[in-house]
Amino acid sequence: NAGVTQTPKFRILKIGQSMTLQCAQDMNHNYMYWYRQDPGMGLKLIYYSVGAGITDKGEVPNGYNVSRSTTEDFPLRLELAAPSQTSVYFCASSEGNNYGYTFGSGTRLTVV
Amino acid sequence: QQQVKQSPQSLIVQKGGISIINCAYENTAFDYFPWYQQFPGKGPALLIAIRPDVSEKKEGRFTISFNKSAKQFSLHIMDSQPGDSATYFCAAYGSGNTGKLIFGQGTTLQVKP
């Protein structure tokens, strides 16, 4: 039972490059989320999804895109990387309202 | 109205002492309040959670106290141990049918041996 799996764990990007952060869960959770965590700033919601084919913006969506073609996968796309996107990215899933999240182990991204 | 304010930002406690972290919210529609524990290099993990129909919930050395009228809740860690050293986040469920958690800013706890 893997829970929430994020890949890669670490990545260095050059300004203007693109990449996709992968997230997969095996708990059949409908709800999935992407957060970024900056030092001392807590967790900021980027995008979320309440089911396959349904996505919506969170608090800080600019510079990111998502898709949800299956229940299991929720990839996060960075199209034109900028230094401001240097952060640790966490994917999470839950059963729905009023249930706790299960987080992945994170992707540490540096944009230089 | 969607904010959750957490304090203190950092906390140092001696081994065996009590660690107390406080959170306050404004949205009365919040009805689920979890706490997460995060160790360095790891994702946050659910520690304990409470719903507003009870004033206290205890799991081992961890207790949530909830004051609905004051719109405040707190985490108490009794007999704090060095292994409790971590960052703690309070959270609350936002309104609507999206299951979005609103997180506090986090508290970095250091328990000295």
Side-chain angles (χ1 to χ4, degrees):
Chain A
N1 192 357
V4 178
T5 302
Q6 289 185 241
T7 56
K9 293 190 182 302
F10 305 92
R11 184 71 185 267
I12 298 174
L13 276 183
K14 293 184 178 179
I15 294 172
Q17 285 185 322
S18 301
M19 77 164 294
T20 299
L21 282 66
Q22 301 292 344
C23 175
Q25 53 94 6
D26 62 359
M27 297 170 285
N28 202 34
H29 286 171
N30 282 322
Y31 291 57
M32 295 188 75
Y33 313 85
W34 275 105
Y35 284 86
R36 60 177 288 172
Q37 185 177 31
D38 300 318
M41 298 299 291
L43 293 152
K44 302 285 188 183
L45 182 64
I46 305 171
Y47 271 95
Y48 66 99
S49 169
V50 299
I54 306 169
T55 63
D56 207 348
K57 296 177 181 178
E59 188 179 356
V60 290
N62 291 342
Y64 307 95
N65 270 303
V66 294
S67 60
R68 184 95 182 271
S69 57
T70 66
T71 299
E72 295 77 21
D73 300 300
F74 191 39
L76 177 71
R77 178 84 178 159
L78 282 71
E79 289 295 346
L80 292 169
S84 61
Q85 293 178 305
T86 293
S87 188
V88 180
Y89 291 84
F90 289 102
C91 178
S93 72
S94 80
E95 293 182 59
N97 283 335
N98 294 352
Y99 288 90
Y101 287 5
T102 299
F103 281 87
S105 57
T107 295
R108 184 175 295 275
L109 175 67
T110 302
V111 182
V112 297
Chain B
Q1 278 217 336
Q2 292 291 339
Q3 284 188 331
V4 177
K5 296 181 180 180
Q6 183 173 346
S7 63
Q9 188 173 356
S10 62
L11 181 62
I12 299 174
V13 173
Q14 291 294 129
K15 178 182 176 181
I18 302 173
S19 304
I20 301 174
I21 304 170
N22 300 299
C23 285
Y25 64 99
E26 296 181 354
N27 190 338
T28 55
F30 289 163
D31 59 3
Y32 177 69
F33 302 89
W35 285 88
Y36 285 81
Q37 180 187 55
Q38 183 181 29
F39 293 106
K42 303 292 185 182
L46 180 63
L47 183 63
I48 186 172
I50 197 169
R51 300 185 193 277
D53 53 346
V54 297
S55 60
E56 185 176 283
K57 183 174 181 180
K58 184 176 181 179
E59 290 184 3
R61 296 184 294 108
F62 300 90
T63 300
I64 300 178
S65 296
F66 187 83
N67 186 329
K68 188 174 182 178
S69 61
K71 290 184 283 187
Q72 295 176 347
F73 58 110
S74 59
L75 176 69
H76 292 64
I77 306 174
M78 311 300 288
D79 187 26
S80 299
Q81 299 297 312
D84 297 330
S85 297
T87 299
Y88 293 82
F89 292 95
C90 64
Y93 257 114
S95 59
N97 191 32
T98 61
K100 289 188 293 182
L101 276 175
I102 310 298
F103 284 90
Q105 296 300 302
T107 296
T108 300
L109 170 66
Q110 182 184 357
V111 181
K112 290 193 169 183

